[in-house]
Amino acid sequence: MTARSTRCTTAAKTRTSRLAAVAAIAVAGSVLLTACGDQTESGSTKEGGTAANSAPLFSKLPADIQKAGVIKVGTDASYAPMEFTENGKIVGVDPDVAAALAKQLGVKLEFTSGTFDGLITGLESGRHSLVMSSMTDNKKRQEGLDDDGKKIGKGVDFVDYFSSGVSLLVKKGNPQGINSLDDLCGKTVAVQRGTIYEDTFKAQATKCGANKLTIQAFDTDAEAQTRVKAGGAVADLNDYPVAAYIAKTSGGGKDFEVVGNQTDVGLMGIAVSKDDTQLRDAVKEALDAIIKDGTYAEALKKWDVEDSAVKSATINAGK
């Protein structure tokens, strides 16, 4: 299937499964943001500091990260409740899980927002060391393949930390009577570019055949939501927790509703370069530790997504 302190600084930007209104999210998605406060500060050190040596898993980290005292994390902060911007900060499920990981690792996890479809490229170029952005773990991403199965990169490894199905988000009242993917044939849908949801719509378009399904893809999910709200598309597709959050909060619950059953339940993962197995294994061990001590469950409960918890950390378990 298939889907983020004290103060923060804002740098110049570009960004997809988040307590601001949908319109505010869309604006926030066009800014490059670095999270640097409450959600990742605990257990961190000043850059190059040594105080984190007492953290349980600090010694498991690569030497360069130990020295820097920070792990740079790429995200697309426009996907509430998973990761979104609020009062200039990147907040949500992923930053809260990252805060718990930081206490185990003894370094700060510093989030920077960009467009979703550029996050793996940023990982490969060294712009960040992790991607934590409600990213579905699948074989295509693991192996670095495009939609046609062509090799376009080295691929990435995933530390799987979240499980979710996908759901359709439609305009409040469901004026087009959409209850399943099959109901979309002959209609127009909106979706975030580069996501697994775009792939799902493409597969449905093939199934629809001559009864054409038109797909409008956008840089951010907020733009796709706006299109549905305006009536230019009949549905958006999202991870169920995200779709449910949008339906509950956008316009005071008057803009959208979730229809149909969850489908394609699968895993989301924290992406790591295939060349960085030491970091990958340290993150996996940290995830197992926070699952065991209960801080992982606390982070998910805060955002009402406990049903998406995993029982243990796995690597590349997505299909």
Side-chain angles (χ1 to χ4, degrees):
M1 83 144 232
T2 347
R4 292 161 157 36
S5 127
T6 48
R7 293 177 66 91
C8 295
T9 59
T10 304
K13 139 111 190 144
T14 61
R15 181 177 184 193
T16 156
S17 44
R18 301 179 151 148
L19 283 175
V22 172
I25 296 172
V27 173
S30 67
V31 181
L32 185 65
L33 295 162
T34 300
C36 56
D38 295 340
Q39 79 265 21
T40 56
E41 190 167 287
S42 298
S44 68
T45 64
K46 295 180 180 179
E47 188 167 334
T50 59
N53 283 323
S54 61
L57 299 175
F58 181 79
S59 63
K60 300 293 184 72
L61 290 168
D64 59 335
I65 290 178
Q66 292 185 31
K67 182 178 180 181
V70 63
I71 300 174
K72 294 183 178 181
V73 184
T75 196
D76 176 2
S78 61
Y79 204 55
M82 297 304 294
E83 49 270 323
F84 62 107
T85 58
E86 184 178 53
N87 299 324
K89 302 174 184 177
I90 298 177
V91 300
V93 177
D94 282 354
D96 285 351
V97 171
L101 294 173
K103 291 180 180 179
Q104 293 292 323
L105 297 169
V107 294
K108 179 164 59 177
L109 271 65
E110 182 179 85
F111 281 68
T112 301
S113 184
T115 56
F116 186 83
D117 58 0
L119 292 176
I120 288 181
T121 300
L123 187 68
E124 292 174 342
S125 69
R127 190 180 310 133
H128 37 256
S129 298
L130 299 175
V131 170
M132 200 167 181
S133 191
S134 310
M135 183 171 284
T136 300
D137 173 7
N138 58 31
K139 296 300 180 183
K140 182 179 75 173
R141 289 178 174 138
Q142 291 173 23
E143 298 172 9
L145 306 177
D146 65 10
D147 292 340
D148 298 320
K150 180 181 177 181
K151 189 78 171 176
I152 56 173
K154 294 186 298 183
V156 297
D157 284 337
F158 287 98
V159 178
D160 301 313
Y161 71 104
F162 199 81
S163 176
S164 177
V166 297
S167 294
L168 289 164
L169 186 72
V170 302
K171 195 171 182 178
K172 190 72 173 182
N174 194 12
Q176 297 294 322
I178 305 299
N179 290 296
S180 70
L181 290 171
D182 288 339
D183 293 332
L184 300 174
C185 295
K187 297 179 172 61
T188 298
V189 295
V191 70
Q192 184 177 18
R193 183 179 294 109
T195 63
I196 193 71
Y197 321 115
E198 184 180 17
D199 294 342
T200 298
F201 278 155
K202 287 179 178 178
Q204 182 62 32
T206 298
K207 185 177 178 182
C208 289
N211 193 12
K212 185 179 179 182
L213 170 61
T214 301
I215 302 169
Q216 297 179 348
F218 298 90
D219 284 343
T220 71
D221 186 62
E223 292 173 285
Q225 294 167 32
T226 299
R227 190 65 173 162
V228 174
K229 182 180 176 181
V234 301
D236 183 15
L237 189 65
N238 273 306
D239 295 293
Y240 173 75
V242 176
Y245 181 88
I246 294 166
K248 180 180 178 180
T249 59
S250 179
K254 298 179 180 179
D255 290 340
F256 302 102
E257 64 182 80
V258 178
V259 297
N261 298 318
Q262 286 191 62
T263 59
D264 297 333
V265 176
L267 293 167
M268 294 179 188
I270 302 169
V272 193
S273 168
K274 285 191 175 293
D275 296 329
D276 209 346
T277 56
Q278 185 178 356
L279 176 59
R280 179 201 67 192
D281 293 346
V283 171
K284 178 186 181 298
E285 193 168 344
L287 179 57
D288 274 326
I290 66 174
I291 291 172
K292 183 177 181 179
D293 70 17
T295 52
Y296 168 77
E298 290 175 5
L300 270 57
K301 183 177 181 180
K302 175 180 174 181
W303 299 99
D304 298 321
V305 293
E306 304 99 306
D307 290 346
S308 291
V310 296
K311 294 181 178 179
S312 63
T314 53
I315 293 176
N316 295 336
K319 299 179 180 179

